[in-house]
Amino acid sequence: MYNLISIEHHTRLPSHGNPFTHTEGQLLLLLEEGEICLTVNRQHSYLKAGHFIFLQDGKQLQIRQTSADPLRIIALEIEGQISHREDSEEAALNLPPLFEHNRVGILQSHERELIKQLHILWQKHNQWERIRIQGQFLQWVADVGERLEATSDYDSASLVLDALRYMEQNYQTPITRQQLAERAGFSEGYYSRFFKKNVGKSPQEYLTDIRMHHAKRLLTRQQSSIQDVAAQVGYNNPLYFSRIFKKTVGLSPTVYIHSNPRQIRVAAMNNQYTGHLLALGLEPCAATGPSFKAETSLLDHTLFMNAYEGEAPDSTTLLRAEPDLILTSEYTDDAHVQQLLQIAPTRTIAFQTQDWRSQFLEIAEATGRNQQAYRWLDEYDEKSHQAATHLRQQIGSASIVSLLVRSQDCFVAGYRHMGAVLYQDLQLSTPSLIHEQQSHYIAEDWKMDDLDADYIMLVFHPSVSDAERQRWLNSPWWKAREAVKRGRVYLDQMNYVLGSYNAFSHDLLLREIPDRLRSLSCM
């Protein structure tokens, strides 16, 4: 027999694409939201919200998010021998079709709801509650298994998923009901009834929805004519496309374009350039570093690449994003730039040798947003002037330092990153060491005897263990700091966005830092 070992909830995927490398048993995955592609032994399975899949081994699994929608996965780890042999001693307990390895099925809403309830109960860590959960899970298995065997929904799900995947991958080409019916092995009439029963729409209605979704995206791109868009989504006749578009969307293509100003589609290979684009009112169509997305809701439609700048470009994601322009920095070598140029025009913006304002203005020029950039900077400078005036009234000429403590060293902000806001925009005083260094300073093994300030902003990197954290806070050096003695230390959680070097991050810091210092000055 078998037991339910754990129930996990995932809303993000790790960079290596598998959040289940720690599992020992089998996995039953339920996708609540989003769209994903799972790869096991080079076999691909595509899941949408409401789908489930059973896997014998989660360790070899690779998961890739295939849409920009929010992701929500419930994973049930199951322990025990799952046998499908007819002569097994447990033949009477052979598991129903939902436990066939690497097969995708569809759950009904009440079946999905029970799994969500079990996940909530599991978090209580009560042994008696978990015994009851085991019983409820086994009852759920029996109920779902009986339904699948009685209605053949399982086979229906596989056929429907194949049809949906085929239409989504080939919407640019002519697709007929006859083609879809032949793929499923049905007559055209039966296939139409079968498809509508399972999807809620006819095959043609579903295909039209896919085409209109892509048409709306293409119509808001620069240099895309209605005729070009029609051809790209599978319509040879632009007049017929326009009629279908108006019937489906409610607006003609021309009116839709005027109602949705065209924006250039930009891919950001450098994390900092994502922030500059957001300050300009542009959401990148593709970007690196999902850690940036975790801190802001302004990247819901951005596709995140499976490679960072300096690595081989993630051409698959870039091609899906269809950028008009790719922004990169000197960290991308010439060979990789040539690969990017095969996808879209590529602009290299110097990062190390330019301050954030120069980067911001160059990106604005490249994207045709010069006026927005100058207006943004004027507003930012006015806000920073007002904040600096108020801070001087509160803390005078007191000095401040920002420290990021890592496992073996400490990152001390200079005149870049957070230091640019502290020392340049807010005009706060620097410790003598930073004034001499100008840029950031790395102190190995936390040796910073020459560094002191009236105020300290302290952040521990996630890699720092609890023991290392306590060693720092209890060290004689730390306790001897004047800021520590006077209670002028602001201890904060690490925030990737606030620690970045770009216009969007600095605007957030301009609001955060004065509040932090005001709270300390009152101590």
Side-chain angles (χ1 to χ4, degrees):
M1 202 47 188
Y2 55 94
N3 294 310
L4 185 60
I5 300 175
S6 67
I7 307 179
E8 297 180 357
H9 190 236
H10 297 272
T11 56
R12 289 184 304 195
L13 297 175
S15 57
H16 53 73
N18 185 2
F20 307 113
T21 54
H22 62 284
T23 58
E24 297 296 333
Q26 296 88 9
L27 280 177
L28 180 64
L29 302 184
L30 167 62
L31 186 62
E32 282 189 81
E33 292 184 59
E35 298 178 17
I36 58 175
C37 172
L38 295 90
T39 304
V40 181
N41 297 327
R42 297 184 180 180
Q43 292 186 349
H44 305 297
S45 299
Y46 293 84
L47 278 72
K48 290 190 173 185
H51 297 164
F52 71 89
I53 188 171
F54 177 76
L55 301 165
Q56 292 281 4
D57 183 3
K59 293 181 179 179
Q60 305 303 317
L61 171 68
Q62 287 293 315
I63 304 179
R64 176 170 55 84
Q65 198 167 352
T66 57
S67 80
D69 297 330
L71 182 67
R72 197 177 300 275
I73 302 172
I74 294 182
L76 294 83
E77 185 178 2
I78 303 167
E79 179 184 52
Q81 183 63 39
I82 296 182
S83 172
H84 297 284
R85 291 176 51 195
E86 292 293 331
D87 58 348
S88 168
E89 294 179 0
E90 296 184 341
L93 295 176
N94 277 352
L95 300 185
L98 77 155
F99 283 121
E100 292 181 17
H101 175 61
N102 207 23
R103 292 285 301 276
V104 177
I106 300 176
L107 292 177
Q108 295 180 352
S109 58
H110 71 278
E111 295 165 346
R112 300 196 299 270
E113 191 61 34
L114 180 59
I115 292 297
K116 289 191 281 187
Q117 293 174 7
L118 293 182
H119 171 255
I120 294 172
L121 293 173
W122 191 270
Q123 308 310 308
K124 296 183 178 180
H125 302 288
N126 182 294
Q127 60 177 337
W128 302 114
E129 195 69 60
R130 290 196 172 182
I131 291 174
R132 281 190 285 271
I133 291 173
Q134 294 283 354
Q136 293 175 21
F137 173 68
L138 292 177
Q139 183 63 53
W140 180 87
V141 170
D143 293 342
V144 175
E146 285 181 359
R147 177 182 66 79
L148 294 179
E149 286 185 332
T151 62
S152 299
D153 278 356
Y154 187 82
D155 291 334
S156 298
S158 298
L159 292 172
V160 168
L161 288 170
D162 177 76
L164 301 186
R165 185 160 59 246
Y166 180 79
M167 283 190 273
E168 287 166 353
Q169 293 175 347
N170 298 278
Y171 68 88
Q172 308 98 324
T173 63
I175 298 177
T176 65
R177 185 178 66 167
Q178 180 181 356
Q179 285 177 283
L180 297 172
E182 288 177 352
R183 286 178 62 84
F186 295 151
S187 67
E188 291 184 46
Y190 179 81
Y191 181 77
S192 292
R193 294 191 298 272
F194 161 82
F195 189 96
K196 188 164 187 175
K197 175 185 175 183
N198 285 276
V199 179
K201 298 179 179 181
S202 70
Q204 190 59 46
E205 289 171 335
Y206 190 87
L207 177 60
T208 298
D209 285 347
I210 294 175
R211 286 172 167 168
M212 293 304 105
H213 169 77
H214 289 283
K216 289 189 291 184
R217 175 176 56 83
L218 292 170
L219 285 170
T220 56
R221 291 187 57 182
Q222 291 188 337
Q223 301 175 341
S224 293
S225 68
I226 294 175
Q227 185 173 354
D228 290 339
V229 171
Q232 290 180 63
V233 297
Y235 294 93
N236 294 326
N237 187 331
L239 294 178
Y240 179 68
F241 162 75
S242 296
R243 288 199 299 270
I244 296 297
F245 188 92
K246 184 173 183 179
K247 179 181 178 182
T248 306
V249 179
L251 301 172
S252 69
T254 302
V255 173
Y256 184 84
I257 291 171
H258 291 314
S259 303
N260 297 271
R262 299 188 179 199
Q263 291 189 347
I264 185 172
R265 293 176 60 82
V266 187
M269 304 300 294
N270 185 300
N271 287 341
Q272 309 302 332
Y273 299 164
T274 296
H276 287 313
L277 290 170
L278 289 177
L280 290 169
L282 289 171
E283 179 182 359
C285 62
T288 58
S291 54
F292 205 107
K293 183 179 181 180
E295 306 293 347
T296 176
S297 61
L298 298 177
L299 297 169
D300 289 342
H301 302 292
T302 301
L303 298 182
F304 282 88
M305 292 174 271
N306 296 318
Y308 289 88
E309 187 176 23
E311 302 175 346
D314 180 1
S315 300
T316 301
T317 302
L318 280 171
L319 287 168
R320 284 178 54 222
E322 299 181 329
D324 301 309
L325 175 67
I326 299 174
L327 296 178
T328 188
S329 75
E330 64 269 34
Y331 295 124
T332 299
D333 62 31
D334 292 341
H336 290 159
V337 169
Q338 291 303 313
Q339 294 180 42
L340 296 174
L341 285 168
Q342 299 299 314
I343 299 172
T346 300
R347 177 84 170 257
T348 298
I349 310 290
F351 178 75
Q352 283 289 359
T353 58
Q354 291 196 106
D355 63 22
W356 69 272
R357 291 169 182 262
S358 299
Q359 299 165 19
F360 182 58
L361 290 173
E362 188 172 349
I363 290 173
E365 183 272 326
T367 57
R369 296 245 164 176
N370 289 324
Q371 290 184 351
Q372 291 92 328
Y374 287 118
R375 185 166 57 248
W376 189 96
L377 286 172
D378 287 342
E379 294 173 356
Y380 178 86
D381 289 339
E382 178 61 27
K383 287 186 291 185
S384 63
H385 175 72
Q386 293 178 2
T389 301
H390 292 152
L391 279 176
R392 277 196 298 273
Q393 294 172 353
Q394 290 183 323
I395 66 174
S397 60
S399 61
I400 184 171
V401 67
S402 172
L403 309 178
L404 171 61
V405 181
R406 304 187 290 197
S407 292
Q408 298 300 324
D409 59 30
C410 182
F411 182 96
V412 185
Y415 283 83
R416 289 171 73 91
H417 297 275
M418 187 179 291
V421 180
L422 291 172
Y423 308 130
Q424 295 173 336
D425 301 328
L426 293 174
Q427 300 175 15
L428 297 172
S429 299
T430 64
S432 58
L433 181 61
I434 291 180
H435 187 71
E436 296 168 4
Q437 291 280 138
Q438 292 290 314
S439 62
H440 66 264
Y441 172 71
I442 304 294
E444 296 182 358
D445 198 28
W446 305 342
K447 294 176 181 177
M448 297 182 297
D449 293 337
D450 297 330
L451 185 66
D452 209 347
D454 299 305
Y455 290 85
I456 298 176
M457 301 181 70
L458 179 66
V459 174
F460 286 96
H461 192 274
S463 63
V464 176
S465 67
D466 289 341
E468 290 174 320
R469 181 188 178 104
Q470 291 305 313
R471 179 165 73 89
W472 171 279
L473 295 175
N474 294 322
S475 67
W477 177 88
W478 176 250
K479 291 183 176 180
R481 300 305 95 192
E482 192 64 26
V484 177
K485 294 178 182 179
R486 302 183 65 177
R488 291 180 173 177
V489 177
Y490 190 93
L491 181 60
D492 199 6
Q493 300 292 323
M494 184 168 178
N495 184 308
Y496 179 82
V497 174
L498 293 180
S500 294
Y501 191 58
N502 58 73
F504 179 79
S505 298
H506 291 181
D507 190 51
L508 293 177
L509 277 173
L510 202 59
R511 286 174 273 172
E512 289 266 346
I513 292 174
D515 289 339
R516 296 177 182 183
L517 294 181
R518 275 193 288 268
S519 67
L520 295 179
S521 64
C522 294
M523 290 183 171

